[in-house]
Amino acid sequence: MSEEPMITLTEPDWIVRRTAFRALMETGDPWDADRVAIPGLDRQAVRTAVQRLVEAGRARTDDRGRVTAACGISLTETPHRIESRHGSRWTNCAYDALGILGALEADGEVVSGSPSTGRDIGVRFERGRPAGSDAVLFLADQSCCSRPNEDWCPNVNLFEDGSLALGWAEEHGVGGRVVSLEEGTDLGAIEWRPLVEGHPWAETRSSTSPEREGRA
């Protein structure tokens, strides 16, 4: 685990982060900051924001500098996938998957690999709520993790039940707690709503809540 201090994001960082997330979610293609005009930010400010997001462990880029992961969405294959009317997308961890579909209030499915058994766990979503699954989410402690994508996300997974989750955490020396799919979705949706509200493809009707330094 990294012991470096967490980087506090600036307002331009939040704007670029949200813009990149929406582009990745909408298109499924890498986001090129040099080809997109963001009101109020010049090209250099956008490039600087992208670099800070990468350094903070909140975004990844390819060899051409295009953003390939932001706010949980990843174009690189991971053990976690969401299916919705926007298509198929990977996410950095199971919490991201729950939070994104929850914030969108979307119909769809989360498919996430259980580290204990290696099996895929499928969770159907109806209007942003998990349905028909007894799986649980292991929510790792974040206090020791300065780079969410690298330090925290690998330890946040779905498990078939709480005993498997706690056994895995003990075996790997990971602190955290087991939460229900409903609680995990509620917590995640709070973090992702500021990223989806106001966008035409967002189905959410919830009131806007301010962005904050969280796991998203």
Side-chain angles (χ1 to χ4, degrees), residues 191-207:
E191 295 200 39
W192 268 271
R193 281 190 187 115
L195 298 169
V196 306
E197 284 180 333
H199 194 283
W201 45 248
E203 297 169 32
T204 181
R205 292 168 298 283
S206 305
S207 59

Side-chain angles (χ1 to χ4, degrees), residues 101-102 106 124-131 181-183 185-186:
L101 286 188
R124 182 167 43 87
F125 267 67
E126 297 177 353
R127 295 180 63 82
R129 304 303 303 166
L181 295 178
E182 290 76 11
E183 182 179 356
T185 299
D186 287 340

